[in-house]
Amino acid sequence: MARKLRGFERVLDAPALFAVAYGEIASSLYIALGVVAAAALGLTPLVLLLTGVLFFVVALSYAEGTAAIPETGGAATFVRRAFNDLAGFVTGWVLFLDFLIVMALSALFVPHYLAATISAPTLREPPWDAIVGSLVIAGIAGVRLARRTRLRTGALGIALLDLVVQCTLVMLGLAFLISPDVLAEGCGFAPGQDWSDLAYALPVAMLAYTGLETVANLAEETREPGRALPRSLFSAIGFVVAVTVLIAAIGLSAYPATGGATALGDEWLEAPLVGIAAAFEGQLPAMLVDALRVVVGISGGLILLAAATTSVSGITRLTHSLAEHGGLPRQFARLERRALVSSRAIVIAAALGIALIVVTEIAADGNPAFLAATYSFGVLIAFTAAQLAVIRLRMREPALARPFRARPSVTLRGASVPVAALVGAPLTAAIWVLTMVTHEGARYVGSAWLLVGLAVFAAVRRSRRRGLLEHVDPLEELPRGAEFRRILVPMKTGDIGEEMVATAIALAKEHDAAIEAITVVRVPRQFELEGPLPPEVAARAEASLQEARLLGEDNGVEVLTDVVRARSIGYAIVDEAEARGADVIVLGSSPRWRRQSRFFSPTVDFVLRRAPCEVLVVAFPDGVFEE
């Protein structure tokens, strides 16, 4: 079987992974601070601290799982290993929605930070923020379709810029804005606020710490994942939690909660860090305040753009993993030379991300809290499943190599089980229950998304003749040819053509597949494409197809035949494979090309590069079927 691409390569070292991790997690602050402040008011720093500690606890399980099973797919991968394919699919499917939400919110907030940079307040108003956000997603998708991007390219520079900006805000805020009295007063419930408001705020605060799944999805592309993944995760998370809580405290000192609201969650809802920069007016020279606002706007725009880009990468890697294991159509598992991952996945992700922006603008009046609550639906399911998976793997596979182990551990039913997972799983499950009780977006949108996913999974499994709980191993599937239900044979005349058809017949008999044999007639540009064929050309085409039909009859296999006219044989084969839904193309390659310093003919080489499906090349040694 000729494979078109090598696949994912281990090229990410610890600094590059830290840049991706820090950039993705730190970008959450630019999105979530205003949303959380609107719900938690004066309790915002405390709520962010509690969720930050929980996030760190969950990260211990993620680090162990991804280090032990360093494959793309994130939590879905080790949940699948611990339980079954259905559990892995559910985990991956809800995370797919979370990636879309992070991408949509990041893009939607870009124009709000951009407005602070270029002094264009119109960009902060609907519908212009939604239009710009949609264009951002479309632009990212266009770039990803045009060329394969390196995640480490520019990520370290953006992360360092953001690090400097956030540290500057912390130092200036501690010097000029922080107010212990205001913070102490806000630690209690504001007038009209009660425990139900806190229950409402906790799930929303999960949005403040995104990025864990993005990093886990890069396990297959990480050098020394057993060392680099835990180091990058914990160094990034620890720093981000500290900075997030400090900036929240500074923001609530500058904009105290009065009358059941705070300007941080109202006027500055979509650009809270710009609001904190603006709060230095009267404390710092006006010119310095303006410069700080511009720098924060630039940093926010860049880090959110990077977050949206890595979300697209996370989505496509996740769909690749789900498709490989029989959860999505196999087309999404195919790698492409230009974009590496499935271009269809990129297009679908971009379309759904734009749709989320439009729905938020129309149905939720542009309030990002709707998407924040929906995000918590998926991430809490994934966090709970990931921790339960680590516990189950400790019990089922105690001998599994674990370069990183979450500590401390206790003995449970004869197995050493991490305390972090035992504590974290019930907590994340409890917050998920709060989400379902307090947030309609999570209750209805999240549930509908999950039901659609289960229907997709059942349909794909049925089409592949696999059980819902049956394990699908991508390495076992390809040689068996379970997907070879439609075989395309571009015919050649003579002995090579007969061998190609014989190979296709053998595959068809083994896998109960259909065979379509075509003869591509190349029509020069000086002639009409649909004009009559010269008699000798028509005779040769019919002769080759008749050979295929007779060989099929001799072996009890029906061979459908057709003549295709085209300007280019290679393009015609690729187009026909796409149009006919072929699962494999059987090509023949004569030995004469290898004597010209080429292994395959130009046509075979073209099809290998562009084919939408698998390609089987029948290549004969020298001295056999000479032409």
Side-chain angles (χ1 to χ4, degrees):
M1 184 65 60
R3 304 297 294 165
K4 298 184 281 298
L5 290 170
R6 290 183 295 175
F8 298 113
E9 301 176 81
R10 297 196 180 277
V11 296
L12 295 175
D13 53 14
L17 198 63
F18 170 80
V20 174
Y22 177 80
E24 187 74 5
I25 299 172
S27 67
S28 309
L29 182 60
Y30 290 89
I31 301 172
L33 182 55
V35 178
V36 177
L41 300 178
L43 294 173
T44 298
L46 179 60
V47 168
L48 290 175
L49 177 60
L50 292 175
T51 51
V53 171
L54 179 59
F55 188 70
F56 188 86
V57 169
V58 174
L60 289 169
S61 295
Y62 264 81
E64 178 172 320
T66 52
I69 310 172
E71 301 173 10
T72 188
T77 297
F78 50 92
V79 170
R80 181 188 306 115
R81 175 84 168 255
F83 297 103
N84 52 52
D85 281 14
L86 178 58
F89 173 80
V90 169
T91 303
W93 183 255
V94 294
L95 286 170
F96 189 103
L97 177 61
D98 283 349
F99 274 123
L100 290 174
I101 291 172
V102 171
M103 176 176 63
L105 284 176
S106 298
L108 184 61
F109 277 50
V110 165
H112 291 270
Y113 282 92
L114 181 63
T117 305
I118 62 176
S119 297
T122 304
L123 293 178
R124 298 189 60 191
E125 300 173 0
W128 295 108
D129 56 348
I131 292 173
V132 174
S134 300
L135 291 176
V136 167
I137 293 178
I140 292 172
V143 172
R144 289 291 287 111
L145 289 171
R147 60 188 294 271
R148 177 183 177 181
T149 58
R150 296 284 185 179
L151 288 175
R152 63 183 183 275
T153 303
L156 188 57
I158 295 175
L160 288 175
L161 172 63
D162 183 66
L163 180 63
V164 171
V165 169
Q166 292 193 5
C167 287
T168 300
L169 283 178
V170 168
M171 290 186 293
L172 291 176
L174 292 176
F176 296 100
L177 296 180
I178 197 75
S179 174
D181 293 337
V182 172
L183 292 176
E185 184 179 346
C187 283
F189 288 128
Q193 192 180 26
D194 55 24
W195 289 103
S196 63
D197 296 296
L198 185 61
Y200 182 92
L202 277 172
V204 173
M206 299 304 300
L207 181 65
Y209 303 104
T210 65
L212 191 56
E213 189 63 29
T214 300
V215 179
N217 260 292
L218 299 177
E220 196 168 334
E221 299 167 70
T222 302
R223 300 173 189 168
E224 299 183 291
R227 297 178 59 191
L229 277 168
R231 287 182 179 181
S232 302
L233 273 177
F234 297 136
S235 56
I237 290 173
F239 190 84
V240 168
V241 170
V243 170
T244 297
V245 174
L246 285 172
I247 289 182
I250 292 167
L252 267 295
S253 297
Y255 301 104
T258 57
T262 169
L264 201 62
D266 186 8
E267 178 185 356
W268 299 106
L269 176 65
E270 291 92 353
L273 268 67
V274 174
I276 293 176
F280 286 102
E281 290 185 10
Q283 304 290 334
L284 296 173
M287 183 178 297
L288 185 57
V289 173
D290 290 340
L292 184 62
R293 189 184 67 251
V294 169
V295 171
V296 170
I298 293 173
S299 174
L302 289 176
I303 201 76
L304 291 174
L305 183 63
T309 303
T310 52
S311 294
V312 173
S313 298
I315 287 172
T316 53
R317 282 157 175 77
L318 182 58
T319 54
H320 172 84
S321 176
L322 295 179
E324 271 197 326
H325 292 87
L328 293 176
R330 189 164 180 81
Q331 290 86 341
F332 291 107
R334 295 190 176 110
L335 300 177
E336 300 179 10
R337 187 168 300 276
R338 186 181 295 272
L340 178 63
V341 290
S342 168
S343 57
R344 294 182 181 181
I346 296 174
V347 172
I348 291 174
L352 290 175
I354 293 172
L356 281 178
I357 291 178
V358 174
V359 169
T360 303
E361 197 71 27
I362 296 175
D365 294 326
N367 188 354
F370 168 78
L371 289 181
T374 308
Y375 171 86
S376 64
F377 171 87
V379 77
L380 289 167
I381 289 178
F383 283 178
T384 304
Q387 294 173 102
L388 293 176
V390 168
I391 294 172
R392 186 171 176 83
L393 285 173
R394 286 277 191 102
M395 294 179 172
R396 289 184 58 185
E397 301 184 44
L400 177 67
R402 293 175 172 85
F404 174 85
R405 296 176 70 92
R407 302 181 190 279
S409 300
V410 296
T411 301
L412 183 64
R413 296 183 180 179
S416 176
V417 178
V419 173
L422 288 174
V423 173
L427 288 176
T428 52
I431 299 177
W432 183 81
V433 173
L434 288 179
T435 303
M436 298 298 287
V437 171
T438 59
H439 292 276
E440 290 186 355
R443 187 161 59 247
Y444 297 118
V445 177
S447 300
W449 176 263
L450 183 56
L451 289 175
V452 170
L454 291 174
V456 170
F457 182 80
V460 171
R461 284 300 173 107
R462 183 177 181 182
S463 69
R464 296 171 79 158
R465 301 177 183 177
R466 293 299 190 103
L468 294 179
L469 300 180
E470 184 180 355
H471 177 63
V472 174
D473 188 336
L475 296 180
E476 294 176 357
E477 276 228 316
L478 183 59
R480 287 176 55 201
E483 289 300 306
F484 298 166
R485 301 178 64 186
R486 190 174 298 276
I487 303 171
L488 180 67
V489 186
M491 288 296 298
K492 298 172 71 76
T493 56
D495 293 329
I496 288 182
E498 289 186 8
E499 286 298 315
M500 291 163 57
V501 175
T503 301
I505 288 173
L507 283 174
K509 292 177 70 174
E510 182 178 355
H511 306 293
D512 192 24
I515 298 178
E516 296 191 22
I518 61 172
T519 292
V520 181
V521 178
R522 189 174 69 84
V523 180
R525 294 190 178 279
Q526 60 265 34
F527 299 105
E528 293 183 8
L529 191 61
E530 300 300 328
L533 293 175
E536 63 276 11
V537 174
R540 283 200 303 270
E542 178 57 30
S544 67
L545 296 178
Q546 181 66 14
E547 288 178 3
R549 288 193 294 267
L550 291 175
L551 193 57
E553 290 176 5
D554 292 341
N555 289 274
V557 176
E558 182 182 10
V559 179
L560 304 177
T561 60
D562 195 9
V563 176
V564 177
R565 309 170 189 226
R567 304 296 186 190
S568 166
I569 295 177
Y571 273 106
I573 294 173
V574 171
D575 290 344
E576 290 298 315
E578 179 79 24
R580 297 169 187 265
D583 299 303
V584 62
I585 303 172
V586 178
L587 292 176
S589 179
S590 66
R592 67 187 179 93
W593 291 104
R594 294 186 285 283
R595 294 194 293 270
Q596 301 177 21
S597 300
R598 300 186 66 154
F599 193 83
F600 294 131
S601 68
T603 297
V604 173
D605 185 66
F606 179 89
V607 174
L608 282 171
R609 293 176 182 274
R610 303 291 185 89
C613 59
E614 307 298 338
V615 181
L616 178 62
V617 180
V618 183
F620 304 98
D622 287 338
V624 178
F625 301 149
E626 294 287 355
E627 294 182 338

